[in-house]
Amino acid sequence: MSDFSNARFNSIGTQSIPKLILQFSVPSIISMSVESLYNVVDRFFVAEEVGYLGITGITLCFPISLFIMAMSILIGIGGNILFSLKLGQKKHRQAAMILNHSLVLLTIVSIIVFALGQIFLEPLLKVFGASEVTLPYAKTYMSIILLGVFFQTINPGMNNFIRSMGHPKTAMFRMLIGAFCNVFFDWLFIVEFHWGIAGAAWATILSQFISFLFIMWFFFRKSTPIKIQSRFMHLQFPFVRRILILGFPMSMMQVCNSLMNVILNRSLATYGSESVYGGDLAISAFGVINSIAMMIIMPLLGFVQGMQPILGYNYGAKYYTRVKSTVNYAFILAVSFLTVAWILIQIFAPYLIQPFASENKELQELATSSIRIFLLGLPAIGVGMICGTFFQATGKPGRSIILNMSRQVLILIPLLLIIPNFYGLSGVFMAAPISDVLAALLGLFLLSKEWKKMPNQ
């Protein structure tokens, strides 16, 4: 283990909060924004070369992609939270053990996910709402994506540690490399080679492999303060247990998000078939809407990931006033950004949809009207996400679980089952904003209770 730069690490506990948020969040925001290109670019090229059935196929695979992300978050975020807390407490040897434990656990998880995918892929896609027409598209895409599940799991999980070691720009560039490669390979495989939806999948895993090489190289550099070392890889149950506990809330959010997407896809297939549009077109419309939503939500996710080491370090060091200031600034910035995004969506929805549905007027019509409904609660998403991040970063997974479960399971899923009975296909899209607002109110309530307990020094 190399010597630490005291100035770099101690600055998290001494530098001004706005400057720290800018320093840590901007690279993370850029990184996650570009990360969203993996999904958006795939759907853009597929829409141009394959058509709306290709978009439907990719959308049907989204619950599986979310589950893969959930497994990466379980270890990557859980390990990173504990890692940041140990850095704040100056327990550097334990931080090194947590880093190496996380790599081993991410590898184990990726092997399990790959094996389950090989066994259950086709039955799962049918449960997700795949029809006889769209099943071949979905199966082709996901069977290739599963070949690269190791890189999809390792990359985001380990990149978090680079950021927490005081290198947010380095973490950003490693994700940028993969994203730009993905754009190039999408063009090459889909447009030039005419591989169709298979080309989109190969482009994704090849670009992720390139990202993996750059991310892992960081941990073997001479100047890296905490490295990957085999002597710290022997798993010890107390560390494994704590990593899993801390990562569980956000991971559970993604698992619930995956479950919610399954129910959403099935609702779209059911109520879409009862409308003039049809079930496959309804799922395709959601795929387009989700691509645009990801371009907004992923920067927000990058923002809260950027503030997580600041919260974890300062809470571990008992600088509670700095913790509160970080959360307050985060609320102002996130809600302002999402309010602007909400206004732009309401005004320019047709222009945002058009690149994904240039030759299909029905798809344009349905997606344009539905995105305005689906993202009505956009500012509330930021409030809920910041509240959840606070509880995770400060080592209080229980309340974070309550928040995540409430939005995705306790509120949204029942709404998806009830509202469409009265409003049909439009009701499927109405459920999300109602859930977003109610979950944000719950988050503020829990945060206010925690605020009162926290000393002001």
Side-chain angles (χ1 to χ4, degrees), residues 248-290:
F248 184 75
M250 188 171 278
S251 175
M252 196 63 203
M253 180 180 73
Q254 292 300 327
V255 171
C256 293
N257 199 13
S258 177
L259 176 61
M260 181 272 293
N261 269 267
V262 172
I263 295 173
L264 182 59
N265 283 343
R266 289 186 65 86
S267 297
L268 289 167
T270 300
Y271 293 99
S273 64
E274 297 174 1
S275 71
V276 296
Y277 298 105
D280 290 340
L281 191 75
I283 294 174
S284 183
F286 173 68
V288 172
I289 292 168
N290 195 49

Side-chain angles (χ1 to χ4, degrees), residues 237-248:
F237 179 73
F239 287 117
V240 173
R241 176 179 173 274
R242 192 64 179 156
I243 289 170
L244 296 178
I245 288 173
L246 289 173
F248 184 75

Side-chain angles (χ1 to χ4, degrees), residues 370-424:
S370 299
I371 193 173
R372 288 172 171 151
I373 299 170
F374 189 75
L375 295 179
L376 266 175
L378 199 53
I381 294 175
V383 174
M385 196 174 288
I386 290 168
C387 292
T389 300
F390 166 80
F391 289 116
Q392 287 173 320
T394 55
K396 296 178 176 61
R399 294 199 171 189
S400 191
I401 291 170
I402 292 171
L403 277 177
N404 296 331
M405 291 288 288
S406 66
R407 180 184 181 273
Q408 303 288 14
V409 177
L410 303 179
I411 301 174
L412 183 53
I413 289 178
L415 290 176
L416 281 171
L417 298 174
I418 295 169
I419 296 179
N421 289 309
F422 301 97
Y423 296 98

Side-chain angles (χ1 to χ4, degrees), residues 30-341:
I30 295 172
S31 177
M32 295 306 292
S33 298
V34 176
E35 177 77 4
S36 70
L37 287 176
Y38 280 117
N39 193 287
V40 174
V41 172
D42 278 354
R43 292 182 184 183
F44 173 76
F45 282 110
V46 167
E48 289 293 313
E49 298 295 319
V50 182
Y52 82 91
L53 289 174
I55 297 178
T56 305
I58 294 176
T59 305
L60 289 165
C61 296
F62 195 56
I64 301 176
S65 298
L66 286 172
F67 182 78
I68 294 171
M69 187 186 300
M71 295 302 99
S72 178
I73 286 171
L74 176 66
I75 310 302
I77 296 295
N80 193 53
I81 290 169
L82 192 56
F83 182 80
S84 296
L85 289 169
K86 295 303 179 184
L87 288 180
Q89 296 165 358
K90 313 299 184 190
K91 296 178 180 178
H92 298 150
R93 182 180 176 83
Q94 289 188 19
M97 295 184 71
I98 292 159
L99 169 71
N100 285 272
H101 275 47
S102 297
L103 177 61
V104 174
L105 291 171
L106 284 165
T107 302
I108 293 171
V109 162
S110 68
I111 294 170
I112 293 171
V113 171
F114 175 78
L116 292 175
Q118 295 301 313
I119 298 170
F120 299 111
L121 179 58
E122 187 169 331
L124 282 173
L125 292 173
K126 289 178 179 178
V127 170
F128 295 169
S131 65
E132 290 184 6
V133 176
T134 56
L135 180 60
Y137 292 94
K139 188 176 180 182
T140 297
Y141 181 80
M142 202 66 222
S143 60
I144 297 170
I145 290 293
L146 284 171
L147 296 175
V149 70
F150 175 77
F151 311 122
Q152 295 175 72
T153 308
I154 295 287
N155 289 0
M158 296 305 294
N159 208 41
N160 287 323
F161 291 97
I162 298 177
R163 187 181 302 111
S164 289
M165 275 191 269
H167 296 271
K169 290 181 181 177
T170 303
M172 175 188 73
F173 284 122
R174 272 146 178 75
M175 298 309 292
L176 285 175
I177 289 167
F180 287 129
C181 287
N182 187 58
V183 174
F184 170 74
F185 289 133
D186 266 327
W187 167 80
L188 182 66
F189 296 157
I190 301 174
V191 178
E192 293 298 310
F193 292 175
H194 304 290
W195 288 0
I197 198 166
W202 282 115
T204 297
I205 65 170
L206 184 55
S207 58
Q208 288 173 341
F209 169 70
I210 294 171
S211 285
F212 168 79
L213 295 178
F214 280 94
I215 289 169
M216 296 309 293
W217 174 66
F218 173 87
F219 295 103
F220 292 95
R221 294 189 319 178
K222 199 170 185 179
S223 59
T224 299
I226 299 181
K227 295 182 175 63
I228 292 173
Q229 296 173 288
S230 58
R231 65 194 177 107
F232 291 131
M233 288 186 179
H234 181 67
L235 296 180
Q236 295 185 20
F237 179 73
F239 287 117
V240 173
R241 176 179 173 274
R242 192 64 179 156
I243 289 170
L244 296 178
I245 288 173
L246 289 173
F248 184 75
M250 188 171 278
S251 175
M252 196 63 203
M253 180 180 73
Q254 292 300 327
V255 171
C256 293
N257 199 13
S258 177
L259 176 61
M260 181 272 293
N261 269 267
V262 172
I263 295 173
L264 182 59
N265 283 343
R266 289 186 65 86
S267 297
L268 289 167
T270 300
Y271 293 99
S273 64
E274 297 174 1
S275 71
V276 296
Y277 298 105
D280 290 340
L281 191 75
I283 294 174
S284 183
F286 173 68
V288 172
I289 292 168
N290 195 49
S291 294
I292 297 168
M294 290 278 284
M295 295 174 69
I296 301 168
I297 300 302
M298 290 297 275
L300 177 64
L301 184 59
F303 175 72
V304 298
Q305 283 186 1
M307 64 180 267
Q308 182 269 314
I310 303 171
L311 288 171
Y313 184 100
N314 284 285
Y315 193 85
K318 299 185 179 180
Y319 299 154
Y320 298 122
T321 300
R322 293 175 61 79
V323 172
K324 292 181 178 181
S325 295
T326 302
V327 173
N328 288 333
Y329 278 112
F331 275 136
I332 294 169
L333 293 172
V335 173
S336 298
F337 164 71
L338 292 173
T339 300
V340 172

